[in-house]
Amino acid sequence: MTTRSLLKKKLEGKKITMVSTYDYLSAKLCRQVGIDCILVGDSLGMVFQGLDTTLPVTIEEIIYHTKAVKRGAGDMFVIADMPFMSYQTGLEEAVRNCGRVIKEAGANAVKLEGGREIAELVHRLVSIGIPVVGHVGFTPQSIHVLGGYRVVGRLEEEERKLKEDFQALEQAGAFMVVLESVPKNLSKEITQNSKAITIGIGAGPHCDGQVLVFYDLVGLVEDIKPKFVKRYVEGADIFREALRRFKEDVEKGVFPSEEESYG
Ligand code: KIV
């Protein structure tokens, strides 16, 4: 997958699949079933590290996880999520950090949250050869300004701003934009009028593609279940059962058996 083949899918009306994940084994599973692209999301702060928000995630952590994902992803298209304060403090520092995830971690593109305020950066990155994925609607790095997890774009003023932000990203050269927690009719209108690929999460069925977090879709995240998450398997139940059986076997002395022992 490349930016060109992803854009071709949009033009052909074929849906694009993206999974947000952070490790070698899950990336390998995504590759085996033909998922189109992987996002090394800064949601790793909450899902992998157990933090309350994504804000403390560092650029070093994104590089570490992107390297792990790349080993499992093979030639899949891997997008690295730029963490909070790695691209907000100035153009030069932002370009340097985005360059690091491409150069050191092997990412194929970077994802940035925001609209008009990052358009200049998006333009600069694209002009030096770094593909950019935008992210509008609910943007978790702005949780304190947005005042908690919620749908963005229901109010007239928010809808106008969202459309303008999307347009600014598209004009600056973003080839793909994530729409998070956006009313479905708004994402439909944006998708129909855009050249950039739209990827929805909580944005209804009309986007060009969909993204879910791996640990959500396999049912390992139990504490929070936003409306837009679909669990395709109850992974936590399956894993708990395996752990219970391991504990029981060890306590009963039936593991390891002859089969699992060296002569
Ligand atoms: O961090 C993440 O995993 C994301 C996706 C949910 C879009 O930003």
Side-chain angles (χ1 to χ4, degrees), residues 20 22 39 41-43 81 111 135 178 180 201 211 213:
S20 177
Y22 332 114
L39 169 68
D42 64 354
S43 54
D81 213 358
K111 180 169 84 59
H135 184 158
V178 171
E180 178 164 350
I201 177 158
V211 57
V213 171

Side-chain angles (χ1 to χ4, degrees), residues 33-252:
V33 303
I35 296 292
D36 290 311
C37 42
I38 292 183
L39 169 68
V40 183
D42 64 354
S43 54
L44 71 86
M46 299 170 79
V47 178
F48 184 86
Q49 300 176 340
L51 297 166
D52 289 336
T53 70
T54 61
L55 302 181
V57 174
T58 66
I59 183 80
E60 302 304 332
E61 287 163 352
I62 290 291
I63 289 175
Y64 172 89
H65 285 278
T66 304
K67 283 182 177 172
V69 162
K70 278 296 286 185
R71 289 181 205 113
D75 60 1
M76 287 177 75
F77 197 86
V78 174
I79 302 153
D81 213 358
M82 297 306 294
F84 183 56
M85 295 312 278
S86 70
Y87 60 98
Q88 289 92 340
T89 53
L91 207 58
E92 293 312 311
E93 193 184 2
V95 172
R96 202 169 298 116
N97 283 330
C98 292
R100 283 191 68 195
V101 302
I102 303 288
K103 207 169 162 154
E104 293 175 37
N108 302 93
V110 296
K111 180 169 84 59
L112 310 170
E113 292 184 12
R116 278 162 297 182
E117 71 281 11
I118 59 159
E120 190 187 352
L121 171 61
V122 173
H123 185 266
R124 177 85 178 271
L125 291 169
V126 176
S127 69
I128 60 168
I130 300 180
V132 178
V133 178
H135 184 158
V136 294
F138 179 76
T139 44
Q141 291 176 15
S142 305
I143 183 148
H144 297 314
V145 170
L146 292 169
Y149 291 91
R150 64 180 179 87
V151 176
V152 174
R154 279 193 178 135
L155 307 171
E156 210 173 297
E157 171 61 18
E158 278 184 357
E159 178 179 331
R160 190 187 50 75
K161 183 178 178 305
L162 207 148
K163 285 183 187 165
E164 285 173 7
D165 282 340
F166 186 93
Q167 231 174 14
L169 291 171
E170 194 176 43
Q171 277 165 10
F175 80 100
M176 181 185 268
V177 179
V178 171
L179 302 177
E180 178 164 350
S181 299
V182 171
K184 62 178 191 293
N185 287 338
L186 178 54
S187 45
K188 182 179 183 183
E189 188 187 330
I190 290 175
T191 301
Q192 283 172 345
N193 295 309
S194 85
K195 288 199 181 67
I197 297 162
T198 61
I199 299 289
I201 177 158
H206 306 292
C207 295
D208 298 311
Q210 298 291 328
V211 57
L212 278 181
V213 171
F214 175 81
Y215 295 91
D216 277 332
L217 79 90
V218 299
L220 286 174
V221 178
E222 292 189 294
D223 304 341
I224 345 166
K225 188 187 171 301
K227 180 177 165 65
F228 58 75
V229 167
K230 180 167 175 178
R231 289 186 189 143
Y232 286 84
V233 65
E234 293 299 331
D237 289 343
I238 295 169
F239 279 22
R240 256 191 304 268
E241 179 56 17
L243 289 166
R244 259 190 223 110
R245 284 172 48 203
F246 165 69
K247 181 175 181 290
E248 198 179 293
D249 281 1
V250 171
E251 286 169 356
K252 279 188 188 155

